[in-house]
Amino acid sequence: MPISKLVIIYYMKTFLHLCLLLCLSSIGNAQVQQKGSSPFFVFNNGISDTDAYKTPAAQVQLAAQMGFEGVEKNGLDDFDAFYQAVKENNLKLYTMYVEVNLDNEQQPFDTRLEEVFRKVQGTEAMPWLYITSKKYKPSSVEQDAIAVPILQKMADMAKQYNLKVALYPHTWFWLETVGDAIRVAKKVNRPNFGISFNLPHFLSTQYYAGESPIHNFQTWAEKARPYLFAVSVNGADYPPATADRSKLWDSLIKPLGEGNYDTYQYLKTFWDMGFTGPVGLQCYNIKQDKTDHLKKSVRTWQSYQKRYAAGK
């Protein structure tokens, strides 16, 4: 072979090798940049509970004006108008709060769900499911046999549209604790099916169980990690001022940045694990002026991200 061809081959191999190294380097840099950069969205209850924000357009516009990257949809009513407003405001729909009622054997979830899946297919939107029952006690393992086939059907339906489904543990509901969510997700056993980690409901269920959510949090976060699709956050005082159910959320749901619970460390724990999924701001029962509360929460969120990026 002439020497010129050998030289050409040598330089081609060298060039390809350098390209591969650059590619791997950029992938590594992207992973570093993604760590701690979860998108921040607002729960529907933070943009919809006053007369000024009754329409989907007004709700979504408020979220955009406050600096959120996306929103939650509560239920499936007025979905088309809400989703249109999301797109017009250049936001993303991250979650849809959808009930699964174990007592309704014929139709345990909203029949409109598959049509909604068609409309959001291939996006980051996912239903996070709260599971209720008046017949069965919260956390009753025996009813897994009823719930799991329903949830497998929903996961398989979502898969057809390249979508995920998550569980939403809720105090006093059948699916009550993060432990319940992990147990059920394991049994559903679908790659597009996972859970959300819900801060106020984690705090409340630990409190009523006589456990310590401060000492137990790291353990539960690690257990949730393989299934974790979304996280919720808000300010909180712990322990709550009273065990009275009607006043519980006065302590456990506050604007982000308020309360004695270390919400930065809470988020940092997930980010250190490599979580980059969406984080939603829980706003239930907050009585402050809406725009003041949301602005404060967004500023706090931004300070957390800067703090994490600085390695503090």
Side-chain angles (χ1 to χ4, degrees), residues 52 127 138 140 157 176 248 255 279 288 306:
S140 54
M157 184 193 304
E176 185 174 38
L248 181 69
V279 176
Q288 291 186 14
K306 289 178 182 178

Side-chain angles (χ1 to χ4, degrees), residues 9-23:
I9 291 171
Y10 170 80
Y11 281 112
M12 287 180 65
K13 287 183 177 179
T14 302
F15 175 76
L16 291 172
H17 181 66
L18 288 171
C19 287
L20 178 61
L21 289 175
L22 287 170
C23 182

Side-chain angles (χ1 to χ4, degrees), residues 161-180:
Y161 303 99
N162 193 26
L163 297 169
K164 293 180 178 180
V165 178
L167 293 172
Y168 186 102
H170 190 298
T171 313
W172 308 306
F173 289 1
W174 178 80
L175 189 90
E176 185 174 38
T177 69
V178 66
D180 294 337

Side-chain angles (χ1 to χ4, degrees), residues 173-222:
F173 289 1
W174 178 80
L175 189 90
E176 185 174 38
T177 69
V178 66
D180 294 337
I182 293 167
R183 183 190 76 243
V184 171
K186 285 181 180 179
K187 292 181 180 179
V188 171
N189 192 28
R190 297 291 192 272
N192 68 324
F193 191 91
I195 71 169
S196 59
F197 202 107
N198 191 303
L199 175 58
H201 292 293
F202 173 69
L203 295 176
S204 62
T205 53
Q206 288 275 294
Y207 173 71
Y208 285 126
E211 302 288 343
S212 171
I214 310 300
H215 296 134
N216 292 341
F217 169 63
Q218 182 73 37
T219 298
W220 280 115
E222 289 283 0

Side-chain angles (χ1 to χ4, degrees), residues 233 256 261-272 300-301 303-312:
V233 73
L256 190 60
Y261 182 80
D262 191 345
T263 46
Y264 173 72
Q265 188 60 44
Y266 167 83
L267 291 168
K268 182 178 183 297
T269 299
F270 292 116
W271 289 337
D272 285 348
T300 303
W301 169 264
S303 72
Y304 286 172
Q305 289 201 304
K306 289 178 182 178
R307 181 177 171 186
Y308 189 79
K312 297 180 180 180

Side-chain angles (χ1 to χ4, degrees), residues 2-301:
I3 188 67
S4 59
K5 288 187 177 180
L6 288 173
V7 171
I8 291 171
I9 291 171
Y10 170 80
Y11 281 112
M12 287 180 65
K13 287 183 177 179
T14 302
F15 175 76
L16 291 172
H17 181 66
L18 288 171
C19 287
L20 178 61
L21 289 175
L22 287 170
C23 182
L24 291 173
S25 176
S26 64
I27 291 171
N29 288 337
Q31 290 173 340
V32 171
Q33 289 169 0
Q34 288 175 2
K35 193 174 181 182
S37 59
S38 296
F40 193 41
F41 71 95
V42 61
F43 277 41
N44 193 252
N45 55 29
I47 54 175
S48 64
D49 58 355
T50 61
D51 290 338
Y53 304 104
K54 289 298 184 184
T55 68
Q59 293 166 17
V60 177
Q61 187 176 33
L62 174 63
Q65 290 172 344
M66 295 296 101
F68 291 95
E69 295 163 82
V71 291
E72 176 211 43
K73 175 75 176 76
N74 187 352
L76 302 181
D77 291 346
D78 298 320
F79 182 83
D80 288 349
F82 190 89
Y83 193 48
Q84 181 63 31
V86 169
K87 291 185 286 188
E88 288 175 354
N89 284 275
N90 297 313
L91 297 184
K92 288 186 178 181
L93 176 63
Y94 284 108
T95 57
M96 298 168 284
Y97 192 55
V98 175
E99 181 181 15
V100 175
N101 183 352
L102 298 186
D103 299 343
N104 189 339
E105 297 179 7
Q106 297 301 315
Q107 188 54 55
F109 58 90
D110 196 317
T111 57
R112 297 171 292 182
L113 188 60
E114 184 166 13
E115 180 59 30
V116 167
F117 282 169
R118 290 193 187 97
K119 293 170 181 176
V120 300
Q121 61 182 308
T123 71
E124 297 170 73
M126 63 180 166
W128 50 7
L129 309 174
Y130 63 103
I131 307 182
T132 63
S133 174
K134 293 182 179 178
K135 295 196 306 185
Y136 309 123
K137 294 180 180 179
S139 303
S140 54
V141 178
E142 300 81 5
Q143 276 65 57
D144 287 5
I146 298 173
V148 168
I150 296 169
L151 300 173
Q152 288 174 328
K153 179 180 179 181
M154 298 176 81
D156 292 342
M157 184 193 304
K159 183 181 178 182
Q160 297 177 45
Y161 303 99
N162 193 26
L163 297 169
K164 293 180 178 180
V165 178
L167 293 172
Y168 186 102
H170 190 298
T171 313
W172 308 306
F173 289 1
W174 178 80
L175 189 90
E176 185 174 38
T177 69
V178 66
D180 294 337
I182 293 167
R183 183 190 76 243
V184 171
K186 285 181 180 179
K187 292 181 180 179
V188 171
N189 192 28
R190 297 291 192 272
N192 68 324
F193 191 91
I195 71 169
S196 59
F197 202 107
N198 191 303
L199 175 58
H201 292 293
F202 173 69
L203 295 176
S204 62
T205 53
Q206 288 275 294
Y207 173 71
Y208 285 126
E211 302 288 343
S212 171
I214 310 300
H215 296 134
N216 292 341
F217 169 63
Q218 182 73 37
T219 298
W220 280 115
E222 289 283 0
K223 289 180 178 179
R225 180 182 181 182
Y227 310 96
L228 193 60
F229 287 175
V231 167
S232 84
V233 73
N234 51 263
D237 272 329
Y238 192 87
T242 174
D244 184 344
R245 287 174 55 158
S246 67
K247 298 179 180 178
L248 181 69
W249 307 124
D250 292 343
S251 294
L252 297 186
I253 302 178
K254 295 178 175 293
L256 190 60
E258 294 186 13
N260 60 24
Y261 182 80
D262 191 345
T263 46
Y264 173 72
Q265 188 60 44
Y266 167 83
L267 291 168
K268 182 178 183 297
T269 299
F270 292 116
W271 289 337
D272 285 348
M273 292 177 182
F275 176 75
T276 57
V279 176
L281 179 70
Q282 171 63 271
C283 306
Y284 178 74
N285 193 48
I286 291 178
K287 300 176 177 64
Q288 291 186 14
D289 175 81
K290 186 174 295 298
T291 56
D292 289 347
H293 155 234
L294 295 178
K295 285 178 181 178
K296 176 182 176 62
S297 294
V298 169
R299 285 196 302 268
T300 303
W301 169 264

